[in-house]
Amino acid sequence: MRHFLTLMDFTKEDILAIVDHAIKLKTNPKKLLHDKTLAMIFEKNSTRTRMAFELAITELGGKAIFLDSNDLQLGRGEPIKDTARVIGSMVDFVMMRVKNHDSLIEFAKYSKAPVINGLSELYHPTQILGDLLTIKEWGKEKDNNVKIAFVGDSNNVCNSWLIASAILGYEISIAIPENYNINTQVWDFVTKKSEISGAKISLFHNKFDALKNKDVVITDTWISMGEEKEKENKIKDFAGFIIDDDAMRQANGDAILLHCLPAYRGFEVSEMVFEKHSKVIFEEAVNRLYVVKALLCFLNKSL
Ligand code: CP
Ligand code: NVA
């Protein structure tokens, strides 16, 4: 049994197989998970992830159970390992969106069902699967390479994009403020993996350098869920990091903009640039459904 806590545990072949299967399921839906059950535990808000997982299992012939962590005994202090031994023995899959990645690791240790990361502060792997599908559909993968710029905070989406690029051998430039760092474990992984895959990973503290010659521009909110108290400081830290017309002009002429959403116009992206790229951004959001379907089938060995 395999869990899906971070893309680090998956090979290039695994990731490409999931994306390819998502393309097939998008045009040719099949009920491949008849009567299978999925528990979805949320410690944070969600629109896309909740919709994607609930619809995915339902359209595959199974059933989802939505659980707000505060409604569970978990919210009153029941240990994660006890919750995992109960829920993980009753269902076929567990999806968790957690405040602390260690909760996912602990749950997975005691769960009999595969555990999927629906976002932690460190990683957002199903987002990257949806982005990969979108990049493929928009023809931005050329000669097995994608030229990517990520401009934003160095947390979940950024980390998962670094990991995916390192595994897949892509070219990615990250732009983060001077006083921000990449998580050491992530940096060690991508440095080692790039030597094997040929990925080109660069780190900048200025958006213009990162954006040059890129076909895919990615941004994310500067104030992630749970960081609301740091809002004022983060806005100061990220001054000059907005993706606006000037920024997009540095990228290649037909570059696409991806945003995991929700988007905060006037902060990480200007209203005009967001609306100009809204077609691809909302396709990216809907693609979560197809990659989640493919991921569930993959973990169930139904690919
Ligand atoms: N992108 C994403 O995960 O969206 P939600 O927070 O709405 O699930
Ligand atoms: N970095 C954002 C991603 C939201 C999908 C957050 O953690 O809130």
Side-chain angles (χ1 to χ4, degrees):
M1 182 184 74
R2 292 174 81 178
H3 299 293
F4 187 69
L5 306 188
T6 155
L7 288 165
M8 284 188 205
D9 305 329
F10 280 63
T11 64
K12 178 175 179 172
E13 290 69 32
D14 293 335
I15 297 169
L16 296 180
I18 293 167
V19 174
D20 281 348
H21 198 67
I23 294 170
K24 289 186 191 124
L25 284 172
K26 195 168 174 176
T27 47
N28 186 16
K30 285 187 180 156
K31 290 202 184 308
L32 295 173
L33 295 179
H34 200 67
D35 286 343
K36 298 285 179 191
T37 49
L38 162 75
M40 309 190 298
I41 303 173
F42 283 91
E43 290 182 358
K44 293 178 175 179
N45 301 59
S46 173
T47 299
R48 284 141 286 267
T49 307
R50 181 177 173 182
M51 284 297 295
F53 273 88
E54 184 150 355
L55 262 183
I57 190 82
T58 308
E59 290 183 6
L60 287 164
K63 184 178 165 44
I65 301 159
F66 171 80
L67 302 160
D68 180 327
S69 64
N70 288 318
D71 296 338
L72 298 173
Q73 296 288 8
L74 190 64
R76 294 178 57 243
E78 184 172 14
I80 291 173
K81 63 180 178 182
D82 293 358
T83 310
R85 281 181 281 193
V86 176
I87 296 177
S89 302
M90 285 185 174
V91 297
D92 299 291
F93 308 96
V94 180
M95 193 282 314
M96 293 179 82
R97 172 165 282 199
V98 296
K99 293 178 183 160
N100 187 333
H101 190 75
D102 287 344
S103 305
L104 269 166
I105 296 173
E106 174 83 349
F107 198 104
K109 197 167 149 192
Y110 292 93
S111 172
K112 286 188 180 158
V115 178
I116 301 165
N117 182 355
L119 180 145
S120 66
E121 81 288 13
L122 284 181
Y123 309 110
H124 196 6
T126 64
Q127 180 65 50
I128 277 55
L129 294 178
D131 293 5
L132 288 169
L133 171 55
T134 312
I135 288 168
K136 203 162 188 172
E137 287 179 335
W138 280 70
K140 299 300 168 193
E141 191 193 46
K142 292 165 195 161
D143 303 324
N144 299 319
N145 186 25
V146 184
K147 295 179 178 179
I148 304 157
F150 179 93
V151 180
D153 201 356
S154 51
N155 59 11
N156 42 25
V157 175
C158 173
N159 287 343
S160 291
W161 254 116
L162 274 168
I163 295 163
S165 302
I167 296 170
L168 298 171
Y170 292 167
E171 183 179 332
I172 187 165
S173 295
I174 305 285
I176 53 173
E178 293 269 5
N179 49 336
Y180 283 59
N181 297 307
I182 304 293
N183 172 286
T184 318
Q185 204 192 339
V186 172
W187 194 251
D188 288 348
F189 175 88
V190 302
T191 311
K192 284 192 193 112
K193 202 75 183 174
S194 304
E195 284 171 18
I196 305 162
S197 69
K200 278 174 70 184
I201 315 265
S202 318
L203 187 59
F204 296 100
H205 297 301
N206 155 344
K207 66 183 175 188
F208 297 114
D209 291 332
L211 288 160
K212 262 180 222 147
N213 192 31
K214 298 301 189 303
D215 292 319
V216 178
V217 178
I218 305 174
T219 188
D220 180 17
T221 181
W222 300 336
I223 302 123
S224 286
M225 287 180 276
E227 294 184 336
E228 291 75 13
K229 282 197 193 115
E230 294 168 50
K231 186 173 174 179
E232 293 309 316
N233 285 336
K234 296 205 85 167
I235 290 171
K236 276 187 209 137
D237 292 347
F238 280 92
F241 278 77
I242 189 169
I243 298 297
D244 53 13
D245 250 344
D246 270 359
M248 285 307 286
R249 265 195 286 276
Q250 298 299 312
N252 289 338
D254 56 355
I256 56 169
L257 173 68
L258 297 183
H259 193 310
C260 60
L261 302 175
Y264 298 88
R265 278 92 153 170
F267 294 93
E268 75 274 10
V269 63
S270 71
E271 168 75 19
M272 218 169 82
V273 167
F274 181 87
E275 288 305 332
K276 191 171 165 193
H277 293 269
S278 56
K279 188 174 188 303
V280 61
I281 291 169
F282 288 103
E283 280 183 21
E284 174 193 8
V286 176
N287 274 339
R288 298 285 299 290
L289 169 61
Y290 305 105
V291 293
V292 166
K293 280 187 179 184
L295 173 65
L296 292 172
C297 293
F298 179 87
L299 295 175
N300 191 57
K301 300 191 174 69
S302 310
L303 276 196

